[in-house]
Amino acid sequence: ALRAVGAEVVICPTNVEFEDPRSYYMVAERLAKETPNSFYARQYWNPSNPEAHYLTTGPEIWEQTKGEIDVFVCSIGTGGTVSGISKYLREKSNGRVKIVGADPVGSIYYDLFYTGKMPKPHTYYVEGIGEDFMPTTMDMKSMDDIEQVNDRESFTMARRLVREEGLLCGGSCGSAVVGAIKWAQRQPKGDR
């Protein structure tokens, strides 16, 4: 999709340490230094990441649902989206809205959320979510629960969304939908 709109895509290995010059963090930093008029957003450490979701995405969700929302589920990566939206929705609802993260098997968040201990991450294929280190943009207290999802169910759901709903999306969107379904199946009926 990125190439289709003219972007140059640089593929990086995901099974290397953060400090490895081949990691996408280090490659992004290097490319920003080498490319004139470029900007490295530092999305994992930039407080503007969760703030942008507090100022824009959270209000958009609240307005589009007319405040009739009980649970918000999203895939978690940098933590900016879930942290910013959570702050906004909890303020608007006086803490009534539950916030649930969807995390790929292999990422650190699920185990960290439930044990408080940093687990050893392992490789997974869903892109753009999950993490193997703790970004400063992630507020673990922003979530009430985390649902773990695996690669197969994430990609299968992404294909279903294309086929059945006409929504062209990737594995991380599939993860969010699977996470929402799995979480909802264990809850009393009636939440929106």
Side-chain angles (χ1 to χ4, degrees):
L2 290 170
R3 284 187 184 110
V5 295
E8 177 185 339
V9 177
V10 178
I11 304 294
C12 302
T14 57
N15 60 344
V16 296
E17 295 297 319
F18 172 87
E19 302 84 12
D20 189 301
R22 299 170 297 158
S23 77
Y24 59 85
Y25 314 101
M26 296 295 115
V27 170
E29 191 171 330
R30 178 182 55 77
L31 289 173
K33 288 176 184 173
E34 294 173 356
T35 308
N37 300 315
S38 66
F39 174 74
Y40 180 36
R42 298 183 50 80
Q43 66 180 353
Y44 297 91
W45 307 277
N46 189 336
S48 294
N49 177 350
E51 181 184 16
H53 293 287
Y54 174 78
L55 295 174
T56 62
T57 319
E60 180 180 348
I61 292 167
W62 187 258
E63 289 167 20
Q64 288 190 12
T65 62
K66 297 177 178 53
E68 295 179 11
I69 179 173
D70 299 307
V71 183
F72 173 74
V73 182
C74 75
S75 299
I76 48 178
T78 67
T81 303
V82 73
S83 298
I85 292 172
S86 173
K87 182 178 177 189
Y88 185 86
L89 293 180
R90 285 180 170 172
E91 285 177 6
K92 290 300 280 189
S93 71
N94 294 318
R96 177 184 54 78
V97 175
K98 295 179 191 99
I99 309 297
V100 179
D103 190 40
V105 173
S107 170
I108 63 167
Y109 295 133
Y110 180 85
D111 289 334
L112 189 58
F113 185 83
Y114 284 105
T115 68
K117 298 176 186 169
M118 183 63 85
K120 181 167 175 44
H122 57 86
T123 303
Y124 50 91
Y125 293 104
V126 174
E127 295 180 36
I129 60 170
E131 213 41 78
D132 57 359
F133 72 98
M134 189 64 179
T136 60
T137 49
M138 170 58 89
D139 176 7
M140 293 296 284
K141 293 180 181 150
S142 69
M143 295 173 286
D144 297 296
D145 205 353
I146 294 181
E147 227 14 91
Q148 218 174 20
V149 296
N150 66 46
D151 287 326
R152 178 179 297 278
E153 58 194 357
S154 298
F155 291 126
T156 299
M157 180 57 72
R159 298 312 173 262
R160 276 188 63 193
L161 291 170
V162 171
R163 198 172 49 253
E164 297 173 20
E165 303 294 335
L167 299 171
L168 181 57
C169 56
S172 62
C173 291
S175 296
V177 173
V178 169
I181 291 169
K182 288 170 77 170
W183 190 86
Q185 287 174 334
R186 294 192 330 274
Q187 309 305 314
K189 303 285 186 228
D191 278 350
R192 294 163 286 181

